[in-house]
């Protein structure tokens, strides 16, 4: 089982820099992926999603890249701002009759002014 | 912008007591979910609900848990006899379709003493 007090990977960047947050997923059957942002004491907030028939998708200041060959997902945030400081989770859905999202362990992003 | 709401924001209860956590999903959504997050850990899937029945549940969702959509707007999670290890943040989510984005509420912090 999981240990208590999960130690999050952390990323510290300067305001204005670009940030890249990585996620490895394990289920090769997953066909839908989402990035969520979670600020302290709040619920996960949707950022961007991507389906397995794509390898890149862009939003406002964010880009998600999907590499199915190595089962890797990344979130790029351009011109990172202090308000971007949060824990970022990737989540996957297997599709078909599977309803649930399986979350990764998260990365703590700290933006220094 | 429509959002998922949850009440109460914080619930404190004694071990062995029953609790009901309440959620109002986004109004035109058809799929509803409960997740939980123990402090410092990943968000974990509990149950999904569609067409007035459970569509998927995890191993965590044992017979102490139940869900209900008592009317056209509310979605509830009941824990019959709370245990210390039930202490966590409980998040409700909803989606317009099974393979679509799940939008999360702000969560209810459950503390079992």
């Amino acid at each position: 089982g999981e240990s208590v007090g999960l130690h999050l990977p952390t990323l510290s960047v300067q305001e204005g820099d670009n940030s890249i947050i990585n996620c490895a997923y394990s289920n090769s059957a997953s066909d839908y992926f989402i990035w969520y942002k979670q600020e302290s004491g709040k619920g996960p907030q949707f950022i961007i999603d991507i389906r397995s028939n794509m390898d890149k998708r862009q939003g406002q200041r964010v880009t998600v890249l999907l590499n199915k060959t190595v089962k890797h997902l990344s979130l790029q945030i351009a011109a990172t701002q202090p308000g971007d400081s949060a824990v970022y989770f990737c989540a996957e859905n297997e599709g078909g009759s599977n309803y649930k999202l399986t979350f990764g362990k998260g990365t703590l992003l700290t933006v220094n002014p | 912008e429509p959002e998922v709401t949850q009440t109460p924001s914080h619930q404190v209860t004694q071990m062995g007591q029953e609790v009901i956590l309440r959620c109002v999903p986004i109004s035109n959504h058809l799929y509803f979910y409960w997740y939980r997050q123990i402090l410092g850990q990943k968000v974990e899937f509990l149950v999904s609900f569609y067409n007035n029945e459970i569509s998927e549940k995890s191993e965590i969702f044992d017979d102490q848990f139940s869900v209900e959509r008592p009317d056209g707007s509310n979605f509830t999670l009941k824990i019959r006899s709370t245990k210390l290890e039930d202490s966590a943040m409980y998040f409700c989510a909803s989606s317009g379709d099974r393979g679509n984005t799940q939008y999360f509420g702000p969560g209810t912090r459950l503390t079992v003493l």
Side-chain angles (χ1 to χ4, degrees), chain B residues 13-16 36 38 81-88 90 110-113:
Chain B
T13 191
Q14 295 291 326
M15 189 170 55
R36 80 171 186 190
I38 294 171
S81 179
T82 50
K83 302 187 283 287
L84 294 175
E85 54 265 37
D86 293 327
S87 295
Y90 287 81
L110 176 65
T111 302
V112 183
L113 302 176

Side-chain angles (χ1 to χ4, degrees), chain A residues 37-48:
Chain A
K37 171 186 179 183
Q38 187 178 29
E39 296 173 283
S40 181
K42 297 185 178 179
Q45 178 189 351
F46 170 81
I47 302 173
I48 192 167

Side-chain angles (χ1 to χ4, degrees), chain A residues 23-107:
Chain A
C23 176
Y25 65 93
S26 56
N27 188 350
S28 55
S30 291
D31 68 354
Y32 180 57
F33 304 87
I34 310 175
W35 280 101
Y36 286 95
K37 171 186 179 183
Q38 187 178 29
E39 296 173 283
S40 181
K42 297 185 178 179
Q45 178 189 351
F46 170 81
I47 302 173
I48 192 167
D49 58 0
I50 189 167
R51 298 198 181 273
S52 59
N53 61 351
M54 304 174 67
D55 52 23
K56 181 178 179 179
R57 189 156 190 237
Q58 288 185 286
Q60 189 174 21
R61 279 201 309 118
V62 293
T63 300
V64 55
L65 299 177
L66 174 62
N67 185 331
K68 295 181 285 296
T69 303
V70 296
K71 292 186 284 190
H72 183 268
L73 196 68
S74 69
L75 176 71
Q76 300 177 1
I77 305 173
T80 317
Q81 303 166 0
D84 295 327
S85 295
V87 176
Y88 289 81
F89 292 96
C90 64
E92 58 186 294
N93 174 261
E94 192 177 303
S97 60
N98 189 299
Y99 293 75
K100 68 181 181 185
L101 289 177
T102 301
F103 280 75
K105 64 180 179 179
T107 295

